[in-house]
Amino acid sequence: MANNKLLGKSMFYMGIIIIVLFMIIPVYILFRVSFAVPEDVLTSSPKFLITRFEFKHWEQVFKSGNLWPPLYKSFIVATLTMILALIVSAPASYAISRFDRKIKYGIILTLFFTRMFPNVGIALPISVTFLKWNLLDKNIGLVLAHLIEQLPFIAWILVSTFETIPLDLEEAASIDGAGRIRTLLKIVLPVAAPGLAVAAMFTWLNSWNEFTYALYLSLTTKTLPLQIYYYVLRGGFFQQAAYSTILTIPVLIITFALQRYIRSDYLGGAIKG
């Protein structure tokens, strides 16, 4: 029996290690190529470990003048998308969470119906409409397009968060004389902070990495994923790896900063408190 438990635990940890390696190795290869000497990579048997560093590719990226405008645009669009998504979806999700179960899930399913169509299929009519509205090639146009994609998911996350908050908290606030708006701002939203943080992180990262709408709606200044695609078409593997590494850095920082909110026990503890 003890041997079976030991074998099961070993298999469990082995599976975790394999999954972690499966996720980390592509990121390492990306980093490795961005600093690689071409002769070490462009061979039939490229070296896996880094033995020589080459900073030329990063210098080319920084000196090209094509980094900062796409980086700035991606950052502005992702941040505005996150802020507007929270402003729109937080009160709406709170109201939906207080509906009857059948109505609540009917609304959520209706929201997800908009996500059944591929982005590449609805990006064209959106771009035509935004052309009429003079929103083409503007940051706010790209933000609105990203909201179409993100709002169903963020509503799904926040409805699940709000419905776990006990009604007793709101009833106690009402007895103390707090109105609905004050209860939402002072009681509900602070308790729902972990869920809001997860939704914000999810929205920011998706908008940061979004490609299809940016391809249709960005004409002059590209977003960073589009800039990387430009180097893919040109066959600039090393510059592409450098750009991709730069694209990954904010993702790592935000994920590390907000990772504590992803823990389920954190949300549970917040509600109990």
Side-chain angles (χ1 to χ4, degrees), residues 135-205:
L135 292 176
L136 203 64
D137 202 28
K138 293 185 177 178
N139 290 345
I140 188 63
L142 199 52
V143 169
L144 293 176
H146 286 186
L147 285 175
I148 295 172
E149 183 180 21
Q150 300 305 321
L151 282 178
F153 287 105
I154 194 172
W156 176 52
I157 294 173
L158 292 183
V159 167
S160 301
T161 299
F162 286 129
E163 68 182 0
T164 59
I165 298 176
L167 290 174
D168 294 344
L169 291 176
E170 299 176 48
E171 293 173 356
S174 178
I175 293 173
D176 291 338
R180 299 290 293 181
I181 300 299
R182 186 178 180 185
T183 300
L184 178 63
L185 296 177
K186 300 291 185 181
I187 304 297
V188 176
L189 291 183
V191 175
L196 291 169
V198 171
M201 180 178 68
F202 179 84
T203 305
W204 196 93
L205 294 180

Side-chain angles (χ1 to χ4, degrees), residues 77-93:
V77 169
T79 304
L80 286 177
T81 302
M82 178 192 69
I83 294 173
L84 290 178
L86 287 177
I87 291 174
V88 172
S89 62
S93 300

